[in-house]
Amino acid sequence: MEPLVSWLRVWAWSPVLPAPLLAGFAPLLAALRRARPDGPPDPRSAARLRSRHRTTIELEDLLERVAAAGALAAAAALAGAPDAGASGYVTVLQRVVAADPAAWTADVPAVLAALVLPELGAFYLAAPPQPPRAVPRSSRPARPRPCSPPSRSAAPCPHLPTPTSRTRAGTQAGRGPAC
C-alpha cells in the first residue's frame, strides 16, 4: 500500500495530471469523487506565494532615486518601506551600493542614520563598496618557469637537488618539481 500522503497529492493534482498518469489511481479517484463530488480545487487557480526575497522597493527604482536625489534620500526611502527589514534588501543594497559606491560611502554615518533600522544598517555595512574584481596580472606573483631540457652546455637544474643529497625526512632527494 502507498502512503496516504501520495494519494492525497494525486487527488489534489488530478485536475491537471494527464489521464495515463492517473490510470493506476482510478479506484481511489472514483471513491474520492463519490465522497467529494465537487472534486479538488484546480491547483492552477491557487494564489501564488510571494517570494521572501521580494521587496516593495525594486532595485531599478532605488537606482533612479540615488541618481536623482542621492544616497541619503534612497536610504530614507528604504527605511520608510512597509517591509523595511525584509531579507530581500540584502541583495538590493549590495547591488545599489556596487552601482554607485562613491554616493554610498561619502558619508557613512549619515547613511546609517537615514536607514534607521539596525537590519538595514547591517545590510548596508555588509554590502561591498565595489564589486569584486579579478587580480590584475601585474600584481600576481610570478610563477616559476620550468627548466629547459637538459643540454651538454646547460647548467644543472636549480630545482632538483643532487642525487646524493637527502631531505630533512631522510628520503632520497629529487622528488621535487620536475624540470
Side-chain angles (χ1 to χ4, degrees):
M1 280 187 83
E2 290 192 40
L4 180 62
V5 174
S6 67
W7 294 347
L8 293 175
R9 190 170 296 134
V10 169
W11 171 249
W13 285 96
S14 64
V16 293
L17 292 175
L21 192 60
L22 295 173
F25 294 97
L28 168 73
L29 294 174
L32 287 172
R33 284 191 187 103
R34 282 191 303 272
R36 290 190 50 197
D38 55 339
D42 190 345
R44 294 172 292 195
S45 64
R48 295 189 183 264
L49 297 175
R50 268 186 83 169
S51 169
R52 64 185 182 130
H53 298 292
R54 192 156 173 82
T55 57
T56 55
I57 298 178
E58 297 294 328
L59 175 64
E60 293 77 22
D61 299 334
L62 202 55
L63 289 171
E64 289 173 8
R65 190 174 298 238
V66 170
L72 291 175
L78 282 173
D83 60 343
S87 63
Y89 285 113
V90 173
T91 306
V92 170
L93 273 170
Q94 284 177 347
R95 291 182 181 161
V96 77
V97 169
D100 192 359
W104 286 92
T105 57
D107 191 1
V108 174
V111 171
L112 286 172
L115 288 171
V116 180
L117 294 175
E119 297 95 329
L120 289 175
F123 298 160
Y124 165 67
L125 292 175
Q130 292 185 0
R133 296 184 194 164
V135 177
R137 284 199 179 271
S138 60
S139 65
R140 291 182 191 165
R143 287 190 198 156
R145 293 181 179 222
C147 296
S148 58
S151 65
R152 291 179 189 227
S153 62
C157 175
H159 299 291
L160 294 177
T162 60
T164 57
S165 66
R166 300 221 175 239
T167 63
R168 224 184 262 166
T171 59
Q172 181 67 32
R175 294 186 181 177
C179 292

